[in-house]
Amino acid sequence: MTVSPLAVVADGVRLGVGTAVEEFCVVGRSGPAGVKTELGDGTTLRSHTVVYAGVRTGDRFQTGHHTLVREHTTVGDDVSVGSMSVLEHSVTVGHRVRVHSHCFVPEYSVLEDDAWLGPRVTLTNAPFPRCPDVSRCLRGVHIGRAARIGANVTVLPGVHIGERALIGAGAVVTKDVAPGAVVVGAAARPVKTIDDLLCPAGLDHRPYPLETP
């Protein structure tokens, strides 16, 4: 096990056999108090990686530079998360998942075994950002087993992408994708006014109430 003297590893963090923590990493210091932080055998955290308290990873977990993994996230074996990517809290990642650089994976997302996210993939979980009850409306994206998401794809909240599906680069995915389907394309178009929007979680409120001066 190798830990740079320029890294910060909080007391009580379990580092697996053969773990390497490079310069300027922070492990187990940010996040909730009194929860276990465990990194599996053969983990490599490259410089400036931040792993919050409450993260648990399997063996051979690897990060690029400036990677962030937040609390209550669980990661399987043989997972790689690229430079500048973010796994927010309460994310579930299976085995052999690859998340390329500059990806964003928000709260409550699930990436099943062998899922693959290309560079700059953005998953979202807030149907209406800054809605007064946004924390109650969050819906994570679910990426099925061995699904492949091309570069610069955006996936909207609550979308389920079936196993072995392929999403072409630059697509905007607004609806569930069937297993094995190939989905491409994006086109923005007006569909309604902001005052027509209703809460997708069925709450009795308007996401964006009319503001009065």
Side-chain angles (χ1 to χ4, degrees):
M1 183 170 62
T2 304
V3 178
S4 167
L6 299 179
V8 176
V9 179
D11 293 340
V13 171
R14 179 193 176 277
L15 299 179
V17 175
T19 291
V21 181
E22 295 185 357
E23 296 82 359
F24 310 114
C25 291
V26 178
V27 184
R29 186 170 178 179
S30 301
V35 295
K36 291 183 178 180
T37 307
E38 300 180 353
L39 304 182
D41 296 346
T43 291
T44 300
L45 303 183
R46 293 183 173 84
S47 62
H48 298 89
T49 290
V50 176
V51 177
Y52 276 41
V55 169
R56 299 188 182 193
T57 78
D59 296 338
R60 296 171 297 280
F61 176 56
Q62 294 193 44
T63 68
H65 305 281
H66 296 271
T67 300
L68 172 62
V69 183
R70 289 200 48 192
E71 68 271 20
H72 305 309
T73 286
T74 60
V75 177
D77 296 336
D78 300 300
V79 171
S80 175
V81 180
S83 299
M84 305 295 291
S85 288
V86 175
L87 303 183
E88 286 286 2
H89 73 74
S90 307
V91 169
T92 301
V93 180
H95 301 303
R96 300 173 301 280
V97 170
R98 170 59 169 155
V99 177
H100 273 269
S101 297
H102 294 267
C103 292
F104 180 72
V105 180
E107 298 94 324
Y108 313 120
S109 297
V110 176
L111 310 180
E112 292 189 17
D113 294 351
D114 301 299
W116 187 93
L117 272 60
R120 297 186 183 277
V121 167
T122 299
L123 311 183
T124 63
N125 68 352
F128 303 118
R130 303 201 71 178
C131 163
D133 287 327
V134 66
S135 63
R136 299 173 60 195
C137 302
L138 296 178
R139 297 182 295 164
V141 168
H142 191 118
I143 307 296
R145 184 184 63 82
R148 296 163 177 83
I149 316 299
N152 292 297
V153 167
T154 299
V155 184
L156 268 59
V159 167
H160 191 295
I161 294 178
E163 67 177 51
R164 299 184 63 249
L166 175 63
I167 313 300
V172 178
V173 185
T174 63
K175 298 179 180 179
D176 290 353
V177 175
V182 177
V183 176
V184 300
R189 66 190 190 283
V191 294
K192 62 182 69 176
T193 73
I194 196 169
D195 295 323
D196 296 325
L197 297 175
L198 300 175
C199 177
L203 302 180
D204 186 19
H205 70 91
R206 294 281 179 175
Y208 299 114
L210 181 65
E211 295 182 4
T212 56

